[in-house]
Amino acid sequence: MSENPIKYHEDSNTYITRKNSYFEKEINIDGNLIVGQGSNFWKDINVKGVLELGKGTFVKGNVRADEAIIGARSEINGDVEVAGDLKIFDSVKIEGSAIAGDDMHVRPGSKIGFAKASSIMELVGKVSIKEIESGTKVIVRSE
């Protein structure tokens, strides 16, 4: 059959997926996860570590991690919840909520249903957020 789409780097406790990977089951990782661009997840992603979603990744479920970087042009149909920093790159679409336990940085062209950052939310360029949690400190900058 085909090769395993996930490789493991023991020294850094990091799992790495091939680009254009496809996952039908929920993903639970105790460590870091780097996702190759163009990958598809039909259920939730739960990472006890740092999650880096490659460009153009599609997630039908929810995303939970200690920290996360969401690559450009990715789409998440559920919610994103991280304990620490959340970085959202250009033209990302999050249909549900994006919640960061620390700082949130959002790049131009991104669309989010609901956003909340415990520390600072930085919006760069034209960003569309339907609702921001009351009391969230927001910094808006041009590109």
Side-chain angles (χ1 to χ4, degrees):
M1 297 294 294
S2 64
E3 290 183 50
N4 187 346
I6 300 180
K7 296 202 184 272
Y8 180 64
H9 185 263
E10 192 171 349
D11 293 345
S12 63
N13 191 25
T14 301
Y15 295 83
I16 304 164
T17 73
R18 296 179 179 278
K19 70 179 187 174
N20 301 316
S21 295
Y22 180 86
F23 299 90
E24 292 182 333
K25 296 180 179 173
E26 183 173 308
I27 302 294
N28 295 294
I29 301 283
D30 190 3
N32 304 311
L33 176 62
I34 299 172
V35 175
Q37 69 181 26
S39 294
N40 287 278
F41 296 85
W42 289 103
K43 301 233 170 143
D44 296 349
I45 302 173
N46 300 297
V47 177
K48 289 187 176 148
V50 178
L51 170 65
E52 294 181 32
L53 284 184
K55 292 179 185 177
T57 296
F58 175 77
V59 181
K60 194 166 186 164
N62 299 313
V63 174
R64 289 190 177 33
D66 291 345
E67 290 188 13
I69 298 169
I70 312 295
R73 297 181 308 283
S74 292
E75 184 176 334
I76 299 166
N77 284 353
D79 300 327
V80 176
E81 188 172 344
V82 298
D85 291 345
L86 174 59
K87 293 182 176 122
I88 300 170
F89 279 83
D90 301 58
S91 302
V92 168
K93 182 179 178 188
I94 299 172
E95 288 188 13
S97 60
I99 299 172
D102 206 358
D103 293 345
M104 182 186 305
H105 301 275
V106 184
R107 298 271 310 147
S110 294
K111 295 180 180 179
I112 302 170
F114 171 84
K116 174 186 175 185
S118 295
S119 187
I120 294 171
M121 181 182 304
E122 180 183 37
L123 309 177
V124 179
K126 188 175 180 181
V127 173
S128 173
I129 300 177
K130 289 182 182 171
E131 184 181 353
I132 295 176
E133 172 82 8
S134 175
T136 299
K137 183 177 178 182
V138 178
I139 298 170
V140 179
R141 295 188 307 126
S142 62
E143 280 186 73

